[in-house]
Amino acid sequence: MAMNSSYLNFKDKHILVVGDVMLDRYWHGGTSRISPEAPVQVVKVSNVEDRPGGAANVALGLAKLGVPVTLVGVVGQDENADILEKCLEASGVQCCFVRSETLPTITKLRVMSRHQQLIRLDFEEREDSLSQNAALADVVEDLLPTADAVIFSDYAKGCLADIPQLIQLANQFNVPSFVDPKGNDFSIYQGATLVKPNLLEFETIVGACGTTKELEAKAKKLKNEFGWDALLVTRGEDGLVLLDGDKVPFYLATAAREVFDVTGAGDTVIAVLTAIYVSSKRFVDAVEYANQAAGYVVGKLGTAFITANQLETIMYQRTHSQNFGVLAPEALLQQIKLAQVNGEKVVFTNGCFDILHPGHVAYMKQAKALGDRLVVAVNTDASVKRLKGEKRPINNLEHRMAVLESVGAIDWVTWFDEDTPKNIIELLSPDVLVKGGDYSIETIVGSDHVLANGGEVKVLTFLDGYSTTSIIDKANL
C-alpha cells in the first residue's frame, strides 16, 4: 500500500467514542521492609499518577492523533470523575458524561514498586438502569449528526447495556460504527460496520480454530450472521486478519519488532483503524495503519500513544523499505505471493528501457491503473546486446533499474537475462500481463501461462512521438 499523508489530516473529522469510562490510578513507591502486622511488603508511596482508562483511553489516543473527539460514558458524582474529565479535556477530548447518582466512577488502583504491580484494587459497581440507558442514548443521538464515525468501546461494565439501540441509532444517521467487543454474545453488535475481537474473544464465540481455513470459514459465517460490513481479528504475534465484504481475507503480519508492554494496544488499533477509515473509506488501508501504530506502542513501556507525525514517518519508512524497489527475482516472488494472498492484483510488464522517456512514464501509469502493484522486468546488458546490437545498451542495467525505481507508478523492478521474459513470467505468475506496441494477445510472450492461470493480458499503446531509437539518432547528429 502506498503511503497517503492525506489520510492523516483529521481537522474536518469528528469521531464519537461511547463506552465504559475508567480512571486508572497508580501508586508508586519503594519497598524495603516487611510489615510487622502481616507477612506483606510495605510500600512507601512517593508518587500518585492518574490516567484515563477503558473507553477514555481510546478517546485520548484519538486526540493524540489529532482527531476531534467526543467521549460519552457513565461516571459518578465524585472527585474521580472530575479528575478524569479535567485530564481528558486538557488533551483535547470533549467529555459528555452521564453523571450517575448511585454509581461511582470506575477506578482501578494499582500499587507499583520498581515497575512491578503488587496488587490491583477495583472500585466499581454495576447497575443496569433504564433511566441511565435512556440518558446515554439521548446524548449519543444529539451528537451523531456531527460524527463521521462512532466507536463503541465495550468493557462489559454496564455502560453499553443497550448497545443494540445505540448501533441502530448510528445506522439511522448513516454513521459507521466500530466495536471493540466483550463477552460471549456478539449478537448484541448486530448491524455494526466493523467488529474487532482479539483471537481469544473470537474463539469464545465460534470455538477453537485449528487452521487458517477454519478461522476464515468461521469468521465469514459470523460476519454474515450479524450483518457486519467487516470483521477484524487481532491475533497478537500472529498478526491480523480482515474480512471485508466478499473480498479475499486480508492477512497482515504483526508490525511489532520488540514487545515491552501490550497495555492499550487494542485501544490503539480501534482508534487508528477508525480514524484512517473516516479519511480513506478503505478497511485495508485502515488496518495497515492500525497495525503499524500498534507495533509502535507495544514497543514502549506503559500506556503509549502515537501522533500523526509519528505514524506518517513509520508509514513512509515502511513503503520505502527493502520490500519495494529493486528486488532479485526470487525475493520478488515472495513479495508477489504475499500481495496476491492479500487480494492485490499484480501487473507485469518488461522491456529494455535503455533511455527512459515520457512515453514510457505514461505507459507505466496506464499499466499501474490495471491493478494494485506494478512489476517491471528489465533485460540485462547481455540480453540487450543480443537483441539491439553491440552498441547497446547506452545505460547499464544498474542505472536503468535505478531510474525505473524512481517512477511513482512502479512498485518493484527486477531483471532477466534471457532474450524473452518467458521464464520470469512463469516464475512470478502475475495477474495481469501488459505489453506496449502493435501486438495481438496471442503473440505476446508469456500470455499462454498468464491466461491459463486465470489472469489477463492487455496491449497498451506508447505515447506518440517518443522512442529510444529516435533519441539515440538525434544524439548522434
Side-chain angles (χ1 to χ4, degrees), residues 407-463:
V407 176
I410 299 173
D411 294 286
W412 294 296
V413 181
T414 192
W415 62 86
F416 63 100
D417 193 46
E418 298 80 14
D419 291 350
T420 76
K422 179 178 184 295
N423 290 344
I424 196 165
I425 290 171
E426 292 181 356
L427 172 70
L428 302 179
S429 291
D431 301 293
V432 184
L433 173 60
V434 176
K435 194 66 180 174
D438 187 18
Y439 288 90
S440 64
I441 290 176
E442 295 76 16
T443 60
I444 295 175
V445 172
S447 61
D448 53 346
H449 175 82
V450 173
L451 292 171
N453 283 277
E456 305 171 73
V457 181
K458 302 287 185 180
V459 179
L460 303 179
T461 56
F462 285 123
L463 193 64

Short mmCIF file of all heavy atoms in Angstrom, two decimals, residues 407-463:
data_model
loop_
_atom_site.label_atom_id
_atom_site.label_comp_id
_atom_site.label_asym_id
_atom_site.label_seq_id
_atom_site.Cartn_x
_atom_site.Cartn_y
_atom_site.Cartn_z
N VAL A 407 10.21 5.96 -10.65
CA VAL A 407 8.91 6.25 -11.25
C VAL A 407 7.82 5.85 -10.26
O VAL A 407 7.73 4.70 -9.82
CB VAL A 407 8.72 5.48 -12.58
CG1 VAL A 407 7.32 5.73 -13.15
CG2 VAL A 407 9.79 5.91 -13.58
N GLY A 408 6.97 6.79 -9.88
CA GLY A 408 6.00 6.58 -8.82
C GLY A 408 5.04 5.43 -9.05
O GLY A 408 4.57 4.80 -8.11
N ALA A 409 4.73 5.13 -10.30
CA ALA A 409 3.74 4.09 -10.59
C ALA A 409 4.29 2.68 -10.38
O ALA A 409 3.53 1.72 -10.28
CB ALA A 409 3.24 4.23 -12.03
N ILE A 410 5.61 2.55 -10.30
CA ILE A 410 6.25 1.23 -10.25
C ILE A 410 6.52 0.82 -8.81
O ILE A 410 7.10 1.57 -8.03
CB ILE A 410 7.58 1.24 -11.05
CG1 ILE A 410 7.31 1.57 -12.52
CG2 ILE A 410 8.27 -0.12 -10.93
CD1 ILE A 410 8.56 1.76 -13.34
N ASP A 411 6.08 -0.39 -8.45
CA ASP A 411 6.32 -0.91 -7.10
C ASP A 411 7.63 -1.69 -7.03
O ASP A 411 8.39 -1.54 -6.08
CB ASP A 411 5.16 -1.81 -6.67
CG ASP A 411 3.87 -1.02 -6.50
OD1 ASP A 411 3.76 -0.29 -5.51
OD2 ASP A 411 2.99 -1.15 -7.37
N TRP A 412 7.85 -2.56 -8.01
CA TRP A 412 9.05 -3.40 -7.99
C TRP A 412 9.72 -3.42 -9.36
O TRP A 412 9.07 -3.41 -10.40
CB TRP A 412 8.69 -4.84 -7.63
CG TRP A 412 8.17 -5.03 -6.24
CD1 TRP A 412 8.84 -4.81 -5.07
CD2 TRP A 412 6.87 -5.50 -5.87
NE1 TRP A 412 8.04 -5.11 -3.99
CE2 TRP A 412 6.83 -5.54 -4.44
CE3 TRP A 412 5.74 -5.91 -6.57
CZ2 TRP A 412 5.71 -5.97 -3.73
CZ3 TRP A 412 4.62 -6.32 -5.86
CH2 TRP A 412 4.61 -6.35 -4.46
N VAL A 413 11.06 -3.47 -9.33
CA VAL A 413 11.87 -3.62 -10.55
C VAL A 413 12.75 -4.85 -10.36
O VAL A 413 13.36 -5.04 -9.30
CB VAL A 413 12.75 -2.38 -10.78
CG1 VAL A 413 13.57 -2.56 -12.07
CG2 VAL A 413 11.91 -1.11 -10.86
N THR A 414 12.81 -5.69 -11.39
CA THR A 414 13.69 -6.86 -11.35
C THR A 414 14.33 -7.02 -12.72
O THR A 414 14.20 -6.15 -13.58
CB THR A 414 12.90 -8.11 -10.93
OG1 THR A 414 13.83 -9.17 -10.65
CG2 THR A 414 11.91 -8.55 -11.99
N TRP A 415 15.03 -8.11 -12.96
CA TRP A 415 15.75 -8.28 -14.22
C TRP A 415 15.63 -9.72 -14.72
O TRP A 415 15.28 -10.64 -13.97
CB TRP A 415 17.22 -7.91 -14.03
CG TRP A 415 17.95 -8.79 -13.04
CD1 TRP A 415 18.56 -9.98 -13.28
CD2 TRP A 415 18.09 -8.55 -11.64
NE1 TRP A 415 19.08 -10.50 -12.12
CE2 TRP A 415 18.82 -9.65 -11.10
CE3 TRP A 415 17.69 -7.52 -10.79
CZ2 TRP A 415 19.15 -9.73 -9.75
CZ3 TRP A 415 18.02 -7.60 -9.45
CH2 TRP A 415 18.73 -8.69 -8.93
N PHE A 416 15.95 -9.91 -16.02
CA PHE A 416 16.02 -11.25 -16.59
C PHE A 416 17.09 -11.24 -17.68
O PHE A 416 17.33 -10.23 -18.34
CB PHE A 416 14.67 -11.71 -17.16
CG PHE A 416 14.14 -10.88 -18.29
CD1 PHE A 416 14.29 -11.30 -19.62
CD2 PHE A 416 13.49 -9.67 -18.05
CE1 PHE A 416 13.78 -10.54 -20.67
CE2 PHE A 416 12.99 -8.91 -19.10
CZ PHE A 416 13.13 -9.35 -20.41
N ASP A 417 17.76 -12.38 -17.87
CA ASP A 417 18.93 -12.46 -18.76
C ASP A 417 18.62 -13.11 -20.09
O ASP A 417 19.43 -13.06 -21.03
CB ASP A 417 20.06 -13.23 -18.05
CG ASP A 417 21.39 -13.08 -18.76
OD1 ASP A 417 21.74 -11.93 -19.11
OD2 ASP A 417 22.08 -14.10 -18.96
N GLU A 418 17.45 -13.73 -20.22
CA GLU A 418 17.10 -14.40 -21.48
C GLU A 418 16.67 -13.38 -22.52
O GLU A 418 16.42 -12.21 -22.21
CB GLU A 418 15.98 -15.42 -21.24
CG GLU A 418 16.32 -16.54 -20.26
CD GLU A 418 16.21 -16.13 -18.81
OE1 GLU A 418 15.61 -15.06 -18.55
OE2 GLU A 418 16.73 -16.85 -17.95
N ASP A 419 16.52 -13.83 -23.76
CA ASP A 419 16.06 -12.93 -24.81
C ASP A 419 14.59 -12.57 -24.67
O ASP A 419 14.16 -11.51 -25.12
CB ASP A 419 16.30 -13.58 -26.19
CG ASP A 419 17.78 -13.69 -26.54
OD1 ASP A 419 18.60 -13.08 -25.80
OD2 ASP A 419 18.12 -14.37 -27.52
N THR A 420 13.83 -13.44 -24.03
CA THR A 420 12.40 -13.16 -23.80
C THR A 420 12.11 -13.29 -22.31
O THR A 420 12.85 -13.95 -21.57
CB THR A 420 11.49 -14.15 -24.57
OG1 THR A 420 11.49 -15.41 -23.89
CG2 THR A 420 11.96 -14.32 -26.01
N PRO A 421 11.01 -12.70 -21.85
CA PRO A 421 10.66 -12.77 -20.42
C PRO A 421 9.88 -14.03 -20.05
O PRO A 421 9.29 -14.09 -18.97
CB PRO A 421 9.81 -11.52 -20.23
CG PRO A 421 9.10 -11.36 -21.54
CD PRO A 421 10.11 -11.79 -22.58
N LYS A 422 9.87 -15.04 -20.92
CA LYS A 422 9.05 -16.23 -20.68
C LYS A 422 9.30 -16.84 -19.30
O LYS A 422 8.36 -17.10 -18.55
CB LYS A 422 9.33 -17.26 -21.78
CG LYS A 422 8.53 -18.57 -21.62
CD LYS A 422 8.83 -19.52 -22.79
CE LYS A 422 7.98 -20.78 -22.71
NZ LYS A 422 8.31 -21.61 -21.52
N ASN A 423 10.57 -17.06 -18.97
CA ASN A 423 10.89 -17.74 -17.71
C ASN A 423 10.47 -16.93 -16.49
O ASN A 423 9.93 -17.47 -15.52
CB ASN A 423 12.38 -18.06 -17.64
CG ASN A 423 12.78 -19.15 -18.63
OD1 ASN A 423 11.93 -19.87 -19.15
ND2 ASN A 423 14.07 -19.26 -18.92
N ILE A 424 10.73 -15.63 -16.53
CA ILE A 424 10.41 -14.83 -15.34
C ILE A 424 8.90 -14.65 -15.20
O ILE A 424 8.38 -14.57 -14.08
CB ILE A 424 11.15 -13.47 -15.36
CG1 ILE A 424 11.10 -12.86 -13.95
CG2 ILE A 424 10.58 -12.51 -16.41
CD1 ILE A 424 12.06 -11.74 -13.74
N ILE A 425 8.18 -14.61 -16.30
CA ILE A 425 6.71 -14.53 -16.22
C ILE A 425 6.17 -15.81 -15.58
O ILE A 425 5.29 -15.77 -14.72
CB ILE A 425 6.10 -14.31 -17.61
CG1 ILE A 425 6.41 -12.88 -18.10
CG2 ILE A 425 4.59 -14.55 -17.58
CD1 ILE A 425 6.04 -12.63 -19.54
N GLU A 426 6.72 -16.95 -15.99
CA GLU A 426 6.25 -18.22 -15.43
C GLU A 426 6.66 -18.35 -13.96
O GLU A 426 5.96 -18.99 -13.17
CB GLU A 426 6.80 -19.39 -16.25
CG GLU A 426 6.20 -19.43 -17.65
CD GLU A 426 6.72 -20.59 -18.48
OE1 GLU A 426 7.62 -21.32 -17.99
OE2 GLU A 426 6.23 -20.78 -19.62
N LEU A 427 7.78 -17.74 -13.57
CA LEU A 427 8.20 -17.76 -12.17
C LEU A 427 7.28 -16.91 -11.30
O LEU A 427 6.80 -17.35 -10.25
CB LEU A 427 9.64 -17.25 -12.05
CG LEU A 427 10.15 -17.02 -10.61
CD1 LEU A 427 10.34 -18.36 -9.90
CD2 LEU A 427 11.45 -16.21 -10.62
N LEU A 428 6.99 -15.69 -11.76
CA LEU A 428 6.26 -14.73 -10.94
C LEU A 428 4.74 -14.88 -11.04
O LEU A 428 4.01 -14.48 -10.14
CB LEU A 428 6.65 -13.30 -11.32
CG LEU A 428 8.15 -12.96 -11.19
CD1 LEU A 428 8.40 -11.51 -11.62
CD2 LEU A 428 8.63 -13.17 -9.76
N SER A 429 4.25 -15.42 -12.14
CA SER A 429 2.80 -15.63 -12.36
C SER A 429 1.97 -14.40 -12.00
O SER A 429 1.15 -14.43 -11.08
CB SER A 429 2.31 -16.84 -11.56
OG SER A 429 2.83 -18.03 -12.10
N PRO A 430 2.15 -13.30 -12.73
CA PRO A 430 1.36 -12.09 -12.44
C PRO A 430 -0.11 -12.28 -12.78
O PRO A 430 -0.47 -13.20 -13.52
CB PRO A 430 2.01 -11.04 -13.34
CG PRO A 430 2.55 -11.83 -14.50
CD PRO A 430 3.04 -13.12 -13.89
N ASP A 431 -0.93 -11.38 -12.25
CA ASP A 431 -2.37 -11.44 -12.54
C ASP A 431 -2.69 -10.78 -13.87
O ASP A 431 -3.66 -11.14 -14.53
CB ASP A 431 -3.15 -10.73 -11.42
CG ASP A 431 -2.90 -11.37 -10.07
OD1 ASP A 431 -3.30 -12.52 -9.89
OD2 ASP A 431 -2.27 -10.72 -9.21
N VAL A 432 -1.90 -9.78 -14.24
CA VAL A 432 -2.11 -9.06 -15.50
C VAL A 432 -0.77 -8.92 -16.21
O VAL A 432 0.21 -8.42 -15.61
CB VAL A 432 -2.71 -7.65 -15.27
CG1 VAL A 432 -3.01 -6.98 -16.60
CG2 VAL A 432 -3.97 -7.74 -14.41
N LEU A 433 -0.71 -9.34 -17.45
CA LEU A 433 0.49 -9.17 -18.29
C LEU A 433 0.22 -8.06 -19.28
O LEU A 433 -0.78 -8.09 -20.00
CB LEU A 433 0.81 -10.47 -19.02
CG LEU A 433 1.94 -10.42 -20.06
CD1 LEU A 433 3.26 -10.01 -19.42
CD2 LEU A 433 2.08 -11.78 -20.76
N VAL A 434 1.10 -7.06 -19.31
CA VAL A 434 0.90 -5.89 -20.16
C VAL A 434 2.07 -5.75 -21.13
O VAL A 434 3.23 -5.91 -20.74
CB VAL A 434 0.79 -4.60 -19.30
CG1 VAL A 434 0.69 -3.38 -20.19
CG2 VAL A 434 -0.42 -4.68 -18.38
N LYS A 435 1.74 -5.43 -22.37
CA LYS A 435 2.77 -5.17 -23.38
C LYS A 435 2.38 -3.94 -24.17
O LYS A 435 1.20 -3.71 -24.46
CB LYS A 435 2.91 -6.38 -24.32
CG LYS A 435 4.15 -6.35 -25.17
CD LYS A 435 5.43 -6.48 -24.36
CE LYS A 435 6.68 -6.46 -25.25
NZ LYS A 435 7.91 -6.45 -24.44
N GLY A 436 3.36 -3.11 -24.47
CA GLY A 436 3.09 -1.92 -25.26
C GLY A 436 3.53 -2.11 -26.70
O GLY A 436 4.59 -2.66 -26.97
N GLY A 437 2.70 -1.66 -27.63
CA GLY A 437 3.08 -1.77 -29.04
C GLY A 437 1.99 -2.41 -29.86
O GLY A 437 0.86 -2.60 -29.42
N ASP A 438 2.36 -2.81 -31.07
CA ASP A 438 1.41 -3.38 -32.02
C ASP A 438 1.45 -4.90 -31.93
O ASP A 438 2.06 -5.58 -32.74
CB ASP A 438 1.75 -2.90 -33.44
CG ASP A 438 0.69 -3.33 -34.45
OD1 ASP A 438 -0.42 -3.68 -34.01
OD2 ASP A 438 0.99 -3.32 -35.65
N TYR A 439 0.82 -5.44 -30.91
CA TYR A 439 0.81 -6.88 -30.68
C TYR A 439 -0.63 -7.40 -30.68
O TYR A 439 -1.56 -6.66 -30.38
CB TYR A 439 1.42 -7.23 -29.32
CG TYR A 439 2.92 -7.06 -29.22
CD1 TYR A 439 3.47 -5.85 -28.81
CD2 TYR A 439 3.78 -8.12 -29.50
CE1 TYR A 439 4.84 -5.70 -28.69
CE2 TYR A 439 5.16 -7.98 -29.38
CZ TYR A 439 5.68 -6.76 -28.98
OH TYR A 439 7.03 -6.62 -28.86
N SER A 440 -0.77 -8.66 -30.97
CA SER A 440 -2.01 -9.35 -30.64
C SER A 440 -1.73 -10.14 -29.38
O SER A 440 -0.57 -10.49 -29.09
CB SER A 440 -2.43 -10.30 -31.77
OG SER A 440 -1.48 -11.34 -31.93
N ILE A 441 -2.75 -10.41 -28.61
CA ILE A 441 -2.56 -11.10 -27.33
C ILE A 441 -1.86 -12.44 -27.52
O ILE A 441 -0.99 -12.83 -26.74
CB ILE A 441 -3.92 -11.28 -26.63
CG1 ILE A 441 -4.43 -9.92 -26.14
CG2 ILE A 441 -3.81 -12.25 -25.45
CD1 ILE A 441 -5.81 -9.96 -25.51
N GLU A 442 -2.19 -13.14 -28.63
CA GLU A 442 -1.63 -14.47 -28.85
C GLU A 442 -0.13 -14.43 -29.09
O GLU A 442 0.57 -15.42 -28.85
CB GLU A 442 -2.32 -15.14 -30.04
CG GLU A 442 -3.80 -15.43 -29.83
CD GLU A 442 -4.68 -14.19 -29.94
OE1 GLU A 442 -4.19 -13.16 -30.46
OE2 GLU A 442 -5.83 -14.22 -29.49
N THR A 443 0.40 -13.30 -29.58
CA THR A 443 1.83 -13.23 -29.90
C THR A 443 2.68 -12.70 -28.76
O THR A 443 3.90 -12.62 -28.89
CB THR A 443 2.04 -12.32 -31.14
OG1 THR A 443 1.55 -11.00 -30.85
CG2 THR A 443 1.31 -12.87 -32.35
N ILE A 444 2.06 -12.33 -27.66
CA ILE A 444 2.82 -11.81 -26.52
C ILE A 444 3.42 -12.97 -25.74
O ILE A 444 2.70 -13.88 -25.29
CB ILE A 444 1.92 -10.96 -25.60
CG1 ILE A 444 1.43 -9.71 -26.36
CG2 ILE A 444 2.67 -10.54 -24.33
CD1 ILE A 444 0.45 -8.87 -25.57
N VAL A 445 4.72 -12.93 -25.54
CA VAL A 445 5.42 -13.98 -24.81
C VAL A 445 4.88 -14.05 -23.38
O VAL A 445 4.77 -13.03 -22.69
CB VAL A 445 6.94 -13.71 -24.78
CG1 VAL A 445 7.64 -14.70 -23.86
CG2 VAL A 445 7.52 -13.79 -26.17
N GLY A 446 4.54 -15.26 -22.94
CA GLY A 446 4.03 -15.47 -21.58
C GLY A 446 2.52 -15.38 -21.45
O GLY A 446 1.97 -15.68 -20.38
N SER A 447 1.85 -14.98 -22.53
CA SER A 447 0.39 -14.81 -22.45
C SER A 447 -0.31 -16.13 -22.18
O SER A 447 -1.30 -16.18 -21.42
CB SER A 447 -0.14 -14.18 -23.74
OG SER A 447 0.13 -15.03 -24.86
N ASP A 448 0.20 -17.22 -22.73
CA ASP A 448 -0.44 -18.52 -22.53
C ASP A 448 -0.40 -18.92 -21.06
O ASP A 448 -1.38 -19.43 -20.51
CB ASP A 448 0.21 -19.60 -23.41
CG ASP A 448 1.72 -19.66 -23.23
OD1 ASP A 448 2.30 -18.72 -22.64
OD2 ASP A 448 2.33 -20.65 -23.69
N HIS A 449 0.72 -18.65 -20.40
CA HIS A 449 0.84 -19.01 -18.97
C HIS A 449 -0.10 -18.17 -18.11
O HIS A 449 -0.79 -18.71 -17.24
CB HIS A 449 2.29 -18.80 -18.51
CG HIS A 449 2.49 -19.02 -17.05
ND1 HIS A 449 2.66 -20.27 -16.50
CD2 HIS A 449 2.53 -18.13 -16.00
CE1 HIS A 449 2.79 -20.16 -15.19
NE2 HIS A 449 2.72 -18.88 -14.85
N VAL A 450 -0.13 -16.88 -18.36
CA VAL A 450 -0.98 -15.98 -17.56
C VAL A 450 -2.45 -16.32 -17.75
O VAL A 450 -3.22 -16.40 -16.78
CB VAL A 450 -0.69 -14.51 -17.92
CG1 VAL A 450 -1.68 -13.58 -17.22
CG2 VAL A 450 0.73 -14.14 -17.53
N LEU A 451 -2.86 -16.52 -18.98
CA LEU A 451 -4.26 -16.84 -19.27
C LEU A 451 -4.65 -18.19 -18.67
O LEU A 451 -5.76 -18.34 -18.13
CB LEU A 451 -4.51 -16.84 -20.77
CG LEU A 451 -4.41 -15.47 -21.46
CD1 LEU A 451 -4.47 -15.63 -22.99
CD2 LEU A 451 -5.53 -14.54 -20.98
N ALA A 452 -3.74 -19.16 -18.73
CA ALA A 452 -4.03 -20.49 -18.19
C ALA A 452 -4.22 -20.46 -16.68
O ALA A 452 -4.88 -21.33 -16.11
CB ALA A 452 -2.90 -21.46 -18.55
N ASN A 453 -3.63 -19.45 -16.03
CA ASN A 453 -3.75 -19.31 -14.58
C ASN A 453 -4.85 -18.33 -14.17
O ASN A 453 -4.88 -17.87 -13.03
CB ASN A 453 -2.41 -18.87 -13.98
CG ASN A 453 -1.41 -20.01 -13.89
OD1 ASN A 453 -1.43 -20.80 -12.95
ND2 ASN A 453 -0.55 -20.11 -14.90
N GLY A 454 -5.72 -18.00 -15.12
CA GLY A 454 -6.86 -17.15 -14.81
C GLY A 454 -6.57 -15.66 -14.85
O GLY A 454 -7.39 -14.85 -14.40
N GLY A 455 -5.41 -15.28 -15.40
CA GLY A 455 -5.04 -13.87 -15.46
C GLY A 455 -5.52 -13.19 -16.72
O GLY A 455 -6.28 -13.75 -17.52
N GLU A 456 -5.06 -11.94 -16.91
CA GLU A 456 -5.45 -11.15 -18.06
C GLU A 456 -4.21 -10.71 -18.84
O GLU A 456 -3.12 -10.56 -18.27
CB GLU A 456 -6.19 -9.89 -17.62
CG GLU A 456 -7.40 -10.12 -16.73
CD GLU A 456 -7.93 -8.81 -16.17
OE1 GLU A 456 -8.55 -8.04 -16.94
OE2 GLU A 456 -7.70 -8.54 -14.98
N VAL A 457 -4.37 -10.47 -20.12
CA VAL A 457 -3.31 -9.94 -20.97
C VAL A 457 -3.84 -8.70 -21.66
O VAL A 457 -4.92 -8.73 -22.27
CB VAL A 457 -2.83 -10.98 -22.00
CG1 VAL A 457 -1.71 -10.40 -22.86
CG2 VAL A 457 -2.36 -12.26 -21.31
N LYS A 458 -3.10 -7.59 -21.56
CA LYS A 458 -3.52 -6.32 -22.12
C LYS A 458 -2.45 -5.75 -23.04
O LYS A 458 -1.25 -5.89 -22.77
CB LYS A 458 -3.80 -5.30 -21.01
CG LYS A 458 -4.86 -5.73 -20.00
CD LYS A 458 -6.26 -5.66 -20.58
CE LYS A 458 -7.31 -5.97 -19.51
NZ LYS A 458 -8.68 -5.91 -20.07
N VAL A 459 -2.88 -5.10 -24.11
CA VAL A 459 -1.98 -4.41 -25.02
C VAL A 459 -2.24 -2.92 -24.91
O VAL A 459 -3.37 -2.46 -25.09
CB VAL A 459 -2.18 -4.87 -26.48
CG1 VAL A 459 -1.23 -4.10 -27.41
CG2 VAL A 459 -1.96 -6.36 -26.61
N LEU A 460 -1.20 -2.15 -24.58
CA LEU A 460 -1.30 -0.70 -24.45
C LEU A 460 -0.47 -0.03 -25.53
O LEU A 460 0.48 -0.61 -26.06
CB LEU A 460 -0.82 -0.24 -23.06
CG LEU A 460 -1.51 -0.86 -21.85
CD1 LEU A 460 -0.89 -0.31 -20.57
CD2 LEU A 460 -3.00 -0.58 -21.87
N THR A 461 -0.81 1.20 -25.83
CA THR A 461 -0.05 1.95 -26.84
C THR A 461 0.89 2.94 -26.17
O THR A 461 0.55 3.55 -25.15
CB THR A 461 -1.00 2.73 -27.76
OG1 THR A 461 -1.83 3.59 -26.97
CG2 THR A 461 -1.88 1.79 -28.56
N PHE A 462 2.09 3.07 -26.72
CA PHE A 462 3.03 4.07 -26.22
C PHE A 462 2.58 5.45 -26.67
O PHE A 462 1.86 5.61 -27.67
CB PHE A 462 4.44 3.81 -26.77
CG PHE A 462 5.14 2.66 -26.11
CD1 PHE A 462 5.62 1.59 -26.86
CD2 PHE A 462 5.33 2.63 -24.74
CE1 PHE A 462 6.28 0.54 -26.27
CE2 PHE A 462 5.99 1.58 -24.13
CZ PHE A 462 6.46 0.53 -24.90
N LEU A 463 2.99 6.48 -25.92
CA LEU A 463 2.71 7.86 -26.28
C LEU A 463 3.41 8.19 -27.59
O LEU A 463 4.61 7.95 -27.75
CB LEU A 463 3.20 8.80 -25.17
CG LEU A 463 2.73 10.25 -25.20
CD1 LEU A 463 1.22 10.31 -25.01
CD2 LEU A 463 3.42 11.03 -24.09
#
